[in-house]
Amino acid sequence: MSVGLATLVRCSKASNARHVWNFFEKLSAIPRPSKHEAQVVEFLRHFAQERGLRVCEDDVGNVAIHRPGQHGGEDQPPVIVQGHIDMVTEKEPIRTDFDFFTDPIELQVVEGRHIPVTLCVDGGGGQEEQMEDMQETDLWVKANGTTLGADNGIGVAMALALLDDSELPTPPLECVFTVDEETGLTGAFQLDPAALELTAGSIINLDTEEWGVVYNGCAGGGTVNLCLPLATTESALSSSGNWLRALLRVGGLRGGHSGVNIGEHRGNAVKICAEATAHLFDQRRHSSDKAQSQLQVEDSVRLVAIDGGLMHNAIPRDCVAVLDVEVDAWSRVQADLEAYVSSYLSPAFHTAEQHMVVQLEPLVPASGGGGGDDGGEDDVVGAPPLTEASARNLLDLLTLVPNGPLKLSHWARDAFGDPLVETSNNLASVETRVAVGSDCVADASSPPSSTSPPPRQLDVVTSARSFYGEAVEDVNKQVARIAARVGATAEVRDAYPAWTPAADSPIVALAAEVGQVDCVFVRARVPGWGISPPPTLSNNWPRLLIAN
């Protein structure tokens, strides 16, 4: 543990917070979607040149700005300060006017937000520490109908404030700004220490979310892309009004980060939608003759498509299944769903998902010919329903794929003494689409005929995490085996490595927080410790550090 690193950690806590927010405001004015960070890179070049600081870049687009030590830190070992410059780009449906590639983030300050705070109080006299709950009112920064980009804009702003402060005693700084973290960790994976002229043996990573929590490790992870060929009925449903096209909607869920919030057992909209649809399929089975013991299948519900989820690292909040329901069975099918929700889903999620909505609503009468599907624009409104076999394969795949916490640690505990999630899997997204030029469907490369519906496919993304790389591999292999049982292909993507917790790490005694995924890759290329001390984030809203 170098004296220079300890000094930097202590002094960073006392640095001028207004300076940090000034840089965050400037950064928020620069469009920076993942893989499109050129404007931010130019901003960093100009920042360094204005201050006479050395700037280096590698082939993937990462930037390093070097500043010598000052005010007693000149001879101390150098320290890397690292964050990523891209951001997640999601917006509310009403913000159709907003373009992440050209528009600045519209910052807002929310006043009077009550923040629950838990303090650990020394019991005194040898008594155990006790937890006290209190409330404090703060100012919070948010964005107008879009993601804010605090991940990791606030970390980048902190690094720039350090570089810009000529009065702060620091060791030599090597501030590294990586690209494309949110969609593949590209900058961290392909970081070139030689091109960036990195020499430090210690690193402070500025990308995490909780204040006052010590991290001693980081889960690794990897994704699996599944593709299931789907067969549709050749003959269209009758257009005489015997069938209704309907939407089974699941929404109002809390969502969240698949690493941070997975242990809270929040609802996964894709999983819930698939299980509710499977329930309606199962309810079709009935005995048409009480004298018969043989159950028969009533063809009253058919599946057309299912779509939900956006990002591999987000728990899906919304999902929609497109169904065809026989008019005569509509009331019964609705009643079946309502009973399923009231007797199972609502009590099962209880306070975890108080605003969950699961409902069936008519869309339009199903029409014939697969109208709207021309092999190009994917239009599920006019698409023919799936065959019984394809519908079953789809539902089996989505209901059998593991989701949520899979194993709790036997030894790692959080601040409250509860076991941490050791291994998890997120059923991240699902999309039904026309299979044009797809390797998943054998005849997808051939143009569909005018008399038959085009081939379709289901795309699914899952994301596993664990303290142990072997566990990630095991989960991904399990997903691949399930896919194979229903005729789907599985592409296991390269995993990012785990930073397995080390209880005896010397930096834990010093750092307020330790480690995030970016830090793992940089540490692999620059030997040393890695820590992470950023501000509070709550649903991606950073707590304003400026005093009232």
Side-chain angles (χ1 to χ4, degrees):
M1 178 67 227
S2 72
V3 176
L5 179 59
T7 301
L8 181 57
V9 171
R10 289 196 299 271
C11 291
S12 295
K13 290 178 177 292
S15 63
N16 192 327
R18 294 181 185 273
H19 207 35
V20 173
W21 287 103
N22 177 52
F23 281 113
F24 182 71
E25 185 175 22
K26 291 181 178 180
L27 192 65
S28 298
I30 305 173
R32 50 194 173 95
S34 299
K35 304 185 190 300
H36 298 273
E37 303 94 343
Q39 294 184 64
V40 186
V41 170
E42 181 58 32
F43 170 79
L44 294 174
R45 291 193 196 109
H46 185 68
F47 171 92
Q49 292 165 1
E50 279 189 329
R51 293 156 180 79
L53 302 177
R54 180 162 51 96
V55 59
C56 305
E57 301 178 39
D58 62 16
D59 290 341
V60 75
N62 298 318
V63 177
I65 300 177
H66 297 255
R67 196 193 71 185
Q70 59 186 22
H71 302 297
E74 291 83 354
D75 297 328
Q76 296 296 333
V79 176
I80 293 173
V81 177
Q82 182 262 331
H84 66 86
I85 57 178
D86 63 317
M87 64 174 284
V88 172
T89 53
E90 291 189 19
K91 61 183 179 181
E92 296 176 357
I94 60 172
R95 290 307 310 266
T96 56
D97 60 318
F98 188 89
D99 186 345
F100 279 104
F101 292 94
T102 58
D103 296 337
I105 300 298
E106 301 171 17
L107 301 180
Q108 299 176 335
V109 176
V110 180
E111 298 183 8
R113 186 179 171 97
H114 296 287
I115 312 301
V117 178
T118 302
L119 300 178
C120 188
V121 181
D122 188 349
Q127 298 182 18
E128 293 184 1
E129 294 180 339
Q130 299 178 355
M131 308 306 289
E132 289 189 2
D133 292 330
M134 60 176 288
Q135 292 263 331
E136 66 178 33
T137 302
D138 272 333
L139 300 178
W140 287 71
V141 176
K142 60 169 291 188
N144 180 22
T146 69
T147 42
L148 176 60
D151 176 8
N152 184 226
I154 198 69
V156 173
M158 294 175 81
L160 294 175
L162 281 173
L163 288 167
D164 191 54
D165 195 331
S166 61
E167 302 299 324
L168 188 67
T170 65
L173 297 178
E174 300 175 354
C175 291
V176 178
F177 304 95
T178 54
V179 297
D180 193 24
E181 190 269 355
E182 298 293 354
T183 60
L185 293 163
T186 307
F189 265 122
Q190 300 181 28
L191 182 139
D192 185 345
L196 299 179
E197 300 182 14
L198 302 181
T199 61
S202 301
I203 176 173
I204 298 177
N205 169 262
L206 298 176
D207 183 20
T208 186
E209 299 184 4
E210 295 177 86
W211 184 263
V213 177
V214 175
Y215 289 96
N216 183 26
C218 174
T223 59
V224 181
N225 293 345
L226 306 177
C227 181
L228 175 68
L230 299 174
T232 58
T233 56
E234 292 294 334
S235 58
L237 295 176
S238 171
S239 58
S240 61
N242 294 332
W243 291 83
L244 283 174
R245 182 140 291 184
L247 299 180
L248 197 168
R249 294 187 181 274
V250 176
L253 302 183
R254 297 167 67 191
H257 194 283
S258 63
V260 176
N261 305 116
I262 199 77
E264 300 172 26
H265 297 272
R266 297 183 180 186
N268 181 307
V270 172
K271 198 75 168 178
I272 292 172
C273 190
E275 290 176 346
T277 303
H279 173 77
L280 296 182
F281 265 60
D282 292 339
Q283 291 298 105
R284 300 178 311 167
R285 296 183 177 276
H286 72 292
S287 176
S288 59
D289 186 342
K290 293 183 179 180
Q292 293 180 335
S293 59
Q294 180 68 36
L295 293 179
Q296 299 180 4
V297 177
E298 176 190 50
D299 187 16
S300 57
V301 179
R302 294 182 180 180
L303 177 60
V304 180
I306 183 169
D307 294 275
L310 293 172
M311 308 289 290
H312 76 91
N313 57 358
I315 301 171
R317 294 180 295 182
D318 302 279
C319 189
V320 176
V322 183
L323 306 176
D324 281 340
V325 181
E326 196 171 25
V327 172
D328 292 342
W330 176 259
S331 296
R332 179 180 61 76
V333 172
Q334 271 200 317
D336 287 341
L337 180 64
E338 292 171 1
Y340 181 74
V341 172
S342 62
S343 65
Y344 168 55
L345 289 180
S346 293
F349 288 100
H350 195 42
T351 57
E353 297 292 355
Q354 298 184 54
H355 303 290
M356 177 174 62
V357 175
V358 182
Q359 61 186 21
L360 185 68
E361 56 191 40
L363 182 60
V364 293
S367 58
D373 271 321
D374 56 3
E377 182 72 13
D378 192 2
D379 181 8
V380 296
V381 173
L386 305 181
T387 63
E388 178 76 12
S390 278
R392 281 295 178 184
N393 285 340
L394 183 156
L395 295 174
D396 285 350
L397 178 62
L398 297 183
T399 56
L400 292 175
V401 163
N403 179 74
L406 304 181
K407 184 179 184 298
L408 300 181
S409 174
H410 293 293
W411 62 273
R413 297 289 188 271
D414 63 16
F416 302 97
D418 296 324
L420 294 174
V421 175
E422 183 178 288
T423 304
S424 66
N425 196 50
N426 181 40
L427 179 54
S429 65
V430 58
E431 179 186 10
T432 309
R433 65 182 180 91
V434 172
V436 178
S438 170
D439 295 333
C440 171
V441 180
D443 57 352
S445 58
S446 303
S449 68
S450 59
T451 58
S452 62
R456 302 178 72 81
Q457 70 183 50
L458 182 78
D459 295 333
V460 182
V461 177
T462 67
S463 177
R465 298 175 188 264
S466 180
F467 290 166
Y468 305 99
E470 295 83 356
V472 172
E473 292 181 10
D474 287 346
V475 173
N476 288 343
K477 288 177 181 177
Q478 179 184 357
V479 171
R481 286 194 295 269
I482 293 170
R485 294 290 293 269
V486 299
T489 61
E491 178 190 5
V492 180
R493 307 299 297 271
D494 291 337
Y496 52 88
W499 177 4
T500 303
D504 58 350
S505 171
I507 204 169
V508 173
L510 171 69
E513 303 188 47
V514 179
Q516 274 294 80
V517 288
D518 312 56
C519 193
V520 176
F521 300 116
V522 178
R523 284 186 345 119
R525 290 159 175 75
V526 184
W529 300 311
I531 69 171
S532 181
T536 295
L537 291 178
S538 176
N539 295 327
N540 209 29
W541 294 15
R543 181 176 174 181
L544 195 62
L545 303 181
I546 302 174
N548 290 322

